[in-house]
Amino acid sequence: MKLKKNIAISETGFVFDPNSGDSFTLNNIAREILELFQSGKVKSDISFHVLNKYDVDEYTFERNYEDFIGMLNHHNLLENE
């Protein structure tokens, strides 16, 4: 799973899709996950990062991660593989 290469993410969590003109605002964890996508990290790497940095259990991470991926797909921000 990869984020489209032309998606811009600012340090404050502002996301811009130049293809659609849509923009979004992310919280810190979502911004970090997108940055990890951009650096080529896979789900297991992202899970390790989030579970070790934040006070969250694995079940909660999985549920929220899948919701987030669904949102990214809904807004067409991921590349088809």
Side-chain angles (χ1 to χ4, degrees):
M1 182 171 324
K2 293 183 178 180
L3 190 66
K4 289 184 174 176
K5 292 180 180 176
N6 61 348
I7 302 298
I9 305 170
S10 77
E11 292 179 9
T12 60
F14 182 79
V15 176
F16 178 68
D17 180 355
N19 291 334
S20 68
D22 291 336
S23 60
F24 310 91
T25 302
L26 304 175
N27 64 26
N28 286 337
I29 295 175
R31 181 187 47 78
E32 285 181 44
I33 290 172
L34 286 190
E35 289 172 349
L36 291 167
F37 278 152
Q38 286 184 318
S39 68
K41 300 297 184 192
V42 296
K43 182 180 177 182
S44 60
D45 300 323
I46 295 168
S47 174
F48 182 82
H49 173 82
V50 171
L51 294 176
N52 285 293
K53 184 171 182 179
Y54 297 99
D55 184 22
V56 62
D57 62 76
E58 192 169 338
Y59 173 77
T60 302
F61 168 79
E62 286 288 330
R63 188 184 64 214
N64 289 313
Y65 180 85
E66 295 303 324
D67 287 347
F68 184 56
I69 297 303
M71 184 210 60
L72 294 174
N73 278 319
H74 175 76
H75 291 289
N76 200 26
L77 299 176
L78 299 177
E79 290 184 2
N80 293 325
E81 295 181 304

